[in-house]
Amino acid sequence: MRQLRELIRYRARLAALRTSAKAQIHAVMAKLGILPTMSDMFGPTGQGLLDAMPFEGAYATRVASLRGLLERYDDELDMVEHQLHGRLADHKGYNAIQALNGVGRITAAIMVAEIGDVGRFPDARHLCSWAGLTPTHRESDTKVHRGHITKQGSTLVRCGDRSRRPLPRRRPHRPGVHAHRQAPGRDDRPGRRRQETAQPHLLRA
């Protein structure tokens, strides 16, 4: 299991380096005022467009070096993913989780490697809490506030879970205040002078 996690985390690092190299190429294009004509500049068609771009001097050197690094990163990612899928080919959980919509081989490998033995969690709630996918809970007397997810677990599990959706933000329940929208605001009370600027402290002098 530790070796699987090592491969998963190394793959994540390689993917981050590949993304950084692509971003640097886009940065060089921006310096020269070249706008990308397609969303994926690193596919077969995009590579031809990069070959035709007028890079000169240090810009051409940097872009050529980054494109070479991209090819090397792709080769290393293929090697790591081949080892991962070979190790997990007979794993029951690895094959079962791919039955979910949107879960491919990489996401399944992340789940299996990072979660490990799923039997150590009593139920799904404990697993979600460990992964940091549960909302924050703040309670004071009778007031309860739930915010964003805690993000206290494995980052790879949260990033690999593409099926999750952001939790809706709910207003705290305030009993007895049903018509607060119809109640007059502080600035709408009779006899009150409205402020004439967004910076009232500028009028104090």
Side-chain angles (χ1 to χ4, degrees):
M1 189 58 63
R2 289 183 177 178
Q3 293 185 19
L4 282 176
R5 289 174 181 168
E6 190 70 19
L7 287 175
I8 282 292
R9 294 169 185 177
Y10 180 55
R11 184 202 171 275
R13 184 58 181 170
L14 287 173
L17 292 173
R18 181 178 61 178
T19 302
S20 175
K22 292 180 179 180
Q24 291 183 59
I25 293 178
H26 279 286
V28 174
M29 294 169 57
K31 290 179 181 179
L32 300 178
I34 302 175
L35 298 177
T37 57
M38 56 188 310
S39 59
D40 185 12
M41 292 294 299
F42 303 98
T45 306
Q47 293 290 342
L49 294 176
L50 288 174
D51 293 336
M53 289 182 181
F55 297 118
E56 296 180 357
Y59 301 109
T61 302
R62 183 177 182 182
V63 170
S65 175
L66 289 170
R67 293 179 68 182
L69 289 174
L70 284 176
E71 294 180 0
R72 184 62 184 271
Y73 290 149
D74 289 336
D75 294 338
E76 296 298 321
L77 283 169
D78 291 340
M79 180 269 296
V80 173
E81 291 173 3
H82 179 73
Q83 290 192 19
L84 277 173
H85 303 321
R87 289 172 177 265
L88 295 172
D90 299 328
H91 194 281
K92 294 182 179 179
Y94 173 74
N95 296 318
I97 198 173
Q98 294 185 54
L100 300 175
N101 292 331
V103 178
R105 297 198 302 173
I106 298 300
T107 304
I110 291 174
M111 295 294 180
V112 171
E114 291 293 326
I115 295 175
D117 183 13
V118 73
R120 60 195 176 104
F121 300 102
D123 50 30
R125 290 186 175 183
H126 286 77
L127 175 59
C128 291
S129 179
W130 170 85
L133 294 173
T134 53
T136 55
H137 180 92
R138 297 181 178 89
E139 183 174 353
S140 177
D141 195 16
T142 59
K143 297 181 179 179
V144 177
H145 300 279
R146 294 186 180 274
H148 298 286
I149 58 176
T150 60
K151 299 183 181 180
Q152 293 181 352
S154 172
T155 304
L156 290 177
V157 172
R158 290 194 304 276
C159 294
D161 182 13
R162 303 299 182 183
S163 61
R164 73 183 193 279
R165 293 292 182 270
L167 296 174
R169 180 177 297 179
R170 298 180 180 177
R171 295 181 178 272
H173 176 64
R174 294 183 293 176
V177 190
H178 299 289
H180 64 280
R181 291 186 180 274
Q182 288 75 23
R186 179 178 299 177
D187 294 338
D188 296 333
R189 288 179 294 180
R192 181 175 179 85
R193 180 182 178 184
R194 292 175 176 270
Q195 66 181 34
E196 300 176 356
T197 176
Q199 302 292 336
H201 62 276
L202 296 178
L203 300 178
R204 294 176 184 173

